Amino acid sequence: MPELPEVETVRRGLVPRLVGRRIVRLLQHRRDLRVPLPAQFAKKVEGRTVRAIDRRAKYLLIRLEGGQTLIAHLGMSGRMTLHDAASAAQHPFDRHDHVVFETDEGWQVRFNDARRFGLMLLAADDAIAKHKLFKGLGPEPLDEAFDGAALAGRLKGRRTPIKAALLDQKTLVGVGNIYACEALFLAGISPRRSSHTVQGERADRLVAAIKKVLLRSIEDGGSTLRDHVQPGGELGYFQTRFNVYDRAGIACPTRGCGRSVRRLVQSGRSTFYCAHCQR
DNA sequence: ACGCCCACCTGGAGGC
DNA sequence: TGCCTCCAGGTGGGCG
């Protein structure tokens, strides 16, 4: 589920229910996530008020009063669901609702993660920048400063296929398997192209495509937040129309192309692309 | 240093 | 129905 747009949508969905609210109770149904929950986790969080919720890469940063930040990552299968008191009463806990926050307004935020590749931990605010998880992360793709030249500089000298470089969070953050495929399609660049050849105008096109697919998906996520409170209160889940992702064998959407989308495996992940439109 | 492979874990889909 | 295999939107450790 979660690449940058989904994490950003979760963030925006949590803000109105958490920021300025006090967490009165924290339940831990399972502690063995990818990284085990911190010792004394509940004790350290209960009674704290949430100051703000930020995002860095695919991490949520829940800023607590008192100088601590709760770092959350959704992994592959992590979700957040929101329930008011009535909804919570109607929806018994799922077996993968590992962590539950309850606020002073009576709302619940449930962190559900079937595969347990996600994590939650605490760090002092001033330790975040130096934190192991954040060391070496590349630039945020939606920052103004991230342009074709910035990407080209990070690809210089690299022999790995461009698709693999986009998935590498040291190149840039937030792009995962879906948006890597979609951005390369929009830019007309083959996923197999050697990274160091993505320079100049080609890098400009790729950055424009990355920003476009991410922004469009954030917009789609925003409309799910406004339009329907989904049964079960799930945040950040929305189906965008993909051009190529998971569409192997289906016609390439480019007008007049007529070829079908192909699937190949690169560093263990599925890539979807049009061999005719992407060079 | 770099690039690739695998493991981590559970569940859903499809084949037989 | 059941059992098997494959696949899944992320990350980091270990290898050559």
Side-chain angles (χ1 to χ4, degrees), chain A residues 54-203:
Chain A
D54 300 320
R55 180 190 55 74
R56 168 73 173 120
K58 299 170 192 169
Y59 294 90
L60 291 168
L61 302 175
I62 300 175
R63 313 290 190 178
L64 303 176
E65 243 173 27
Q68 291 275 112
T69 291
L70 195 165
I71 302 167
H73 195 288
L74 300 176
M76 289 276 265
S77 55
R79 300 124 202 247
M80 297 282 190
T81 61
L82 263 184
H83 299 271
D84 62 16
S87 170
Q90 272 179 281
H91 296 273
F93 291 127
D94 177 87
R95 59 187 297 238
H96 302 299
D97 282 339
H98 305 312
V99 179
V100 181
F101 303 84
E102 291 179 12
T103 75
D104 55 356
E105 280 188 319
W107 283 75
Q108 275 185 4
V109 175
R110 301 181 185 178
F111 172 62
N112 181 292
D113 185 7
R115 295 174 75 179
R116 304 203 312 283
F117 291 171
L119 62 83
M120 278 193 180
L121 51 90
L122 289 166
D125 288 344
D126 51 22
I128 296 274
K130 299 166 267 173
H131 199 282
K132 189 181 170 196
L133 291 174
F134 299 92
K135 261 232 147 83
L137 284 183
E140 287 286 332
L142 298 179
D143 275 1
E144 289 280 332
F146 183 69
D147 58 11
L151 178 64
R154 298 191 157 257
L155 296 175
K156 214 181 323 170
R158 295 178 63 180
R159 322 301 294 188
T160 197
I162 185 63
K163 161 71 172 357
L166 292 181
L167 291 184
D168 180 352
Q169 303 293 295
K170 293 193 294 297
T171 311
L172 79 167
V173 300
V175 173
N177 205 35
I178 292 178
Y179 297 111
C181 294
E182 293 295 309
L184 287 167
F185 174 78
L186 267 197
I189 295 172
S190 168
R192 324 169 81 131
R193 173 175 282 279
S194 187
S195 295
H196 74 281
T197 69
V198 178
Q199 296 288 319
E201 188 268 340
R202 208 176 254 131

